[in-house]
Amino acid sequence: MSGMKQEERLLLIDSLLDGTISDADLLRIEAEMTVDPKVRQTYYRRLQLTMLLERQAAEEGGRDRPVVGKHPRRRSRRMMMIAGTLAAIAAVLLVLFYANPSDPGSGESNVPLAASPERTASGFAILSGQDDAVWGGKPINDGDLLPSGELHLLSGRVQIELFSGVQIVLQGDSSFSIDSPMQVTMLRGIAHASVPEPAEGFRIKTSSGDVVDLGTEFSVDVDDQGADVHVVDGEVQLHPHGSETLQIQAGVSRRLMTSGNAVETLTSMPDTVSPTEFQNQLQKKQHLRLSVWTQSRNQIQSDKRTVAYYPFHSGRTGARQLKNFADGSPLLASDGTIVAASQATDRWGRSEGALDFSRIGSRVRLNVPGEHRGITMFCWVKINSLDRLYNSLFLTDGHDEREPHWQWMEDGRVFFSVKVPETDQAGRDPSETVQPVYYSPKIWNASLSGRWIMLAVTYDVENARVMHFLNGEPISSAPIADKDLVESIQIGAASICNWSEPMYRTDPQFVLRNLNGSMDEFALYSGALSADEILQLYRIGNPNEQ
């Protein structure tokens, strides 16, 4: 720093804006603005004020008045200086950003928009629910986009929502494919379809003919000899392969024969359920799982390793405090204080059971005392999009020695680090990393948007290893080098879903790291939980069937 006093800085800025600054003083104030964001901010404010006053003067009739003391040549020189200084500042900001993206002085708002391809996904429908479902091949989770090609449901029931609005409940053993938002091919099995008006004309293809909706609800039972069609409501059009098209109404059934004919159905309607009935059944099961999860929370609370445990559902509208339910550890975190975050629906469907952190500045403030030989954190989150360079999950104020940072990168990788003390870096090559970062693989994709998932991370001092987990399953495991191992982790003041740097205490500018989404449960343990314990936490807390 130059040691320039505030009064002198203001005089130089004013003379710059007035166009009277000398070349030597111009170089001095440019140097000050290069290294000090506060000087840049002061310059911008005085520049805005100057321009506002000039605009107001012009509006009040300044056009016809002589501009006292404003020599055209001097004004031209002043504007050139301003333009040159702004260009220099812009260049400095860009250099600062690319050299250190986390520098609050650079601010993400200063980053120019970069051309990037629009994100895409593939599929015509999603899986909206399943009951005791067993899939042939790779399991499909609730909320997943259904892949193209033949799918095989071995047993159980599932509900599929096509993008056209058609809802279908299938029960195993069924083989089928989603051909488009308006067409499904049934190779075998039973399907119950509910077709809304915008999707009129929806078609189910079978080997013995097609069923075309005319605004209705119907079931199809396909076997090797044909397909039984039962109309529950409205009417459908049948297209046998070897005979004329016919329409049948509610209460009527026909069998499409592989021979090409449509004949009377000899069997009764199969035991199917409508999409509405299916969802009611799922909701009852979810209530049972909620009851089991609520009872299991006692184990988390009383665990001597649990330092902080915040189930966000308080049952109190407008509550701005989160109670720390942990009671077994000698080192307990404080209750959480909610800042700006708004209440939202949790993963169990309860209103006001979660917090939405999409609003800028949203966070939960807490304090975690003591030193910890390793840590574990897990949370249930529903993310809309990763639209920040860093999307915060849990960050300490600043990033001092021995402190952990847990966040999600814009590119879909989960970020975790514990800052190594400077005293442990003696003798290192200056080029070596002083802040080891342990990334997960890229796990984010568009299909995860708006879905509740559980994330966890462990910093295991005993085994010198960092592990990331998604929905109870380990997704990465990285060794901690001896030189990077921090055996005593400290946290102190921290935030869930946002970040604070010490400079914010005096500088109103801050980087945007809050999470664009919701969270309804967060826990922090002293020490590393095992992979089996993480999986058990997920299974108990999962509101849906796998």
Side-chain angles (χ1 to χ4, degrees):
M1 300 295 290
S2 65
M4 185 183 296
K5 295 182 179 179
Q6 177 68 5
E7 295 79 6
E8 187 179 4
R9 288 196 191 98
L10 294 177
L11 284 174
L12 292 182
I13 289 174
D14 288 343
S15 61
L16 170 61
L17 294 173
D18 191 44
T20 59
I21 194 170
S22 67
D23 291 341
D25 286 341
L26 176 61
L27 293 175
R28 293 177 62 202
I29 194 62
E30 282 182 337
E32 285 283 305
M33 283 191 276
T34 299
V35 300
D36 192 338
K38 294 180 181 178
V39 181
R40 294 198 295 272
Q41 192 174 59
T42 302
Y43 171 79
Y44 280 127
R45 287 174 178 166
R46 296 181 90 84
L47 174 61
Q48 288 174 334
L49 178 62
T50 300
M51 296 176 71
L52 180 64
L53 291 173
E54 288 186 351
R55 187 183 305 122
Q56 185 174 358
E59 291 172 355
E60 290 175 353
R63 291 178 184 173
D64 300 327
R65 300 175 187 173
V67 180
V68 179
K70 296 286 185 184
H71 192 279
R73 183 178 177 184
R74 174 174 293 179
R75 181 176 178 80
S76 173
R77 178 173 177 245
R78 177 171 69 89
M79 293 307 295
M80 289 179 63
M81 289 179 175
I82 292 172
T85 302
L86 286 172
I89 292 171
V92 169
L93 289 173
L94 285 173
V95 169
L96 287 174
F97 173 78
Y98 286 111
N100 180 12
S102 65
D103 178 9
S106 65
E108 291 184 41
S109 59
N110 291 323
V111 181
L113 290 175
S116 59
E118 197 166 7
R119 294 179 178 176
T120 61
S122 177
F124 301 117
I126 64 166
L127 183 67
S128 57
Q130 48 190 336
D131 184 9
D132 294 328
V134 178
W135 292 91
K138 185 178 179 181
I140 302 174
N141 298 318
D142 284 2
D144 281 355
L145 282 164
L146 288 165
S148 58
E150 183 180 337
L151 301 171
H152 190 186
L153 178 66
L154 296 173
S155 61
R157 284 174 172 157
V158 300
Q159 182 174 344
I160 293 170
E161 294 183 353
L162 281 75
F163 295 154
S164 58
V166 175
Q167 299 185 356
I168 302 176
V169 176
L170 292 123
Q171 56 191 61
D173 177 8
S174 290
S175 293
F176 62 98
S177 63
I178 311 294
D179 308 323
S180 77
M182 290 293 286
Q183 179 174 298
V184 169
T185 296
M186 287 292 299
L187 304 174
R188 182 177 69 255
I190 300 173
H192 187 120
S194 177
V195 184
E197 188 174 335
E200 186 174 321
F202 167 72
R203 180 183 295 258
I204 289 184
K205 294 179 71 67
T206 76
S207 60
S208 49
D210 296 353
V211 183
V212 178
D213 160 78
L214 297 177
T216 188
E217 185 172 321
F218 63 95
S219 71
V220 177
D221 184 355
V222 182
D223 56 32
D224 293 338
Q225 285 73 48
D228 291 335
V229 180
H230 303 268
V231 181
V232 178
D233 189 22
E235 58 183 343
V236 299
Q237 197 171 65
L238 302 182
H239 295 256
H241 287 328
S243 57
E244 293 183 352
T245 298
L246 69 155
Q247 291 184 202
I248 56 176
Q249 287 75 37
V252 178
S253 302
R254 288 290 184 276
R255 180 169 178 82
L256 295 171
M257 304 293 291
T258 52
S259 59
N261 300 320
V263 299
E264 292 286 340
T265 303
L266 299 179
T267 60
S268 58
M269 184 172 169
D271 182 22
T272 61
V273 295
S274 69
T276 300
E277 293 169 330
F278 184 72
Q279 287 299 319
N280 289 337
Q281 292 176 5
L282 289 184
Q283 196 169 41
K284 290 178 181 176
K285 282 198 167 187
Q286 192 175 76
H287 286 161
L288 290 176
R289 283 195 287 272
L290 171 60
S291 176
V292 172
W293 172 74
T294 302
Q295 295 173 15
S296 70
R297 285 172 24 186
N298 294 333
Q299 298 178 10
I300 302 175
Q301 296 170 204
S302 59
D303 192 317
K304 293 182 179 179
R305 299 169 296 177
T306 309
V307 175
Y309 181 51
Y310 305 108
F312 288 11
H313 183 265
S314 67
R316 293 178 294 138
T317 301
R320 305 309 287 168
Q321 296 285 326
L322 283 183
K323 176 178 172 55
N324 179 11
F325 280 86
D327 57 16
S329 170
L331 294 173
L332 292 176
S334 67
D335 290 341
T337 300
I338 301 169
V339 180
S342 56
Q343 292 182 311
T345 301
D346 67 10
R347 66 185 188 273
W348 304 100
R350 300 175 299 179
S351 60
E352 302 171 356
L355 288 175
D356 185 324
F357 293 92
S358 305
R359 187 176 174 186
I360 291 176
S362 301
R363 67 195 70 190
V364 171
R365 297 287 293 153
L366 64 152
N367 186 68
V368 181
E371 298 182 358
H372 308 277
R373 188 172 172 81
I375 59 171
T376 298
M377 291 186 283
F378 83 81
C379 63
W380 279 89
V381 291
K382 185 180 74 173
I383 298 173
N384 302 322
S385 63
L386 298 176
D387 50 6
R388 321 288 193 204
L389 180 61
Y390 298 94
N391 302 269
S392 173
L393 294 167
F394 180 87
L395 299 178
T396 59
D397 286 8
H399 198 180
D400 295 329
E401 296 179 352
R402 307 178 189 279
E403 292 183 350
H405 272 195
W406 189 30
Q407 47 201 335
W408 210 330
M409 305 298 294
E410 186 181 36
D411 64 7
R413 297 174 300 165
V414 180
F415 169 117
F416 181 79
S417 73
V418 176
K419 195 162 189 177
V420 179
E422 291 187 5
T423 53
D424 295 348
Q425 300 173 24
R428 283 193 178 199
D429 185 321
S431 64
E432 288 185 284
T433 302
V434 296
Q435 180 191 333
V437 178
Y438 306 93
Y439 292 106
S440 77
K442 293 181 180 179
I443 57 175
W444 175 262
N445 59 61
S447 70
L448 289 179
S449 176
R451 296 169 55 181
W452 283 102
I453 57 176
M454 193 186 96
L455 290 176
V457 64
T458 59
Y459 188 89
D460 188 344
V461 172
E462 307 304 332
N463 296 297
R465 187 162 293 274
V466 171
M467 295 184 68
H468 289 282
F469 297 82
L470 172 64
N471 289 338
E473 299 291 340
I475 52 175
S476 68
S477 176
I480 306 172
D482 290 343
K483 59 184 175 57
D484 294 331
L485 186 64
V486 179
E487 298 189 15
S488 178
I489 294 176
Q490 300 175 347
I491 297 176
S495 294
I496 297 173
C497 291
N498 212 311
W499 188 43
S500 290
E501 276 201 331
M503 69 174 298
Y504 297 165
R505 296 164 190 163
T506 56
D507 188 338
Q509 284 192 316
F510 60 95
V511 293
L512 301 179
R513 289 196 179 182
N514 63 302
L515 199 70
N516 181 8
S518 304
M519 182 179 292
D520 71 0
E521 187 181 10
F522 176 90
L524 186 148
Y525 293 78
S526 181
L529 271 61
S530 69
D532 287 342
E533 289 176 308
I534 299 288
L535 180 60
Q536 184 64 13
L537 286 169
Y538 169 72
R539 286 175 172 169
I540 294 176
N542 181 16
N544 304 309
E545 250 183 44
Q546 282 284 32

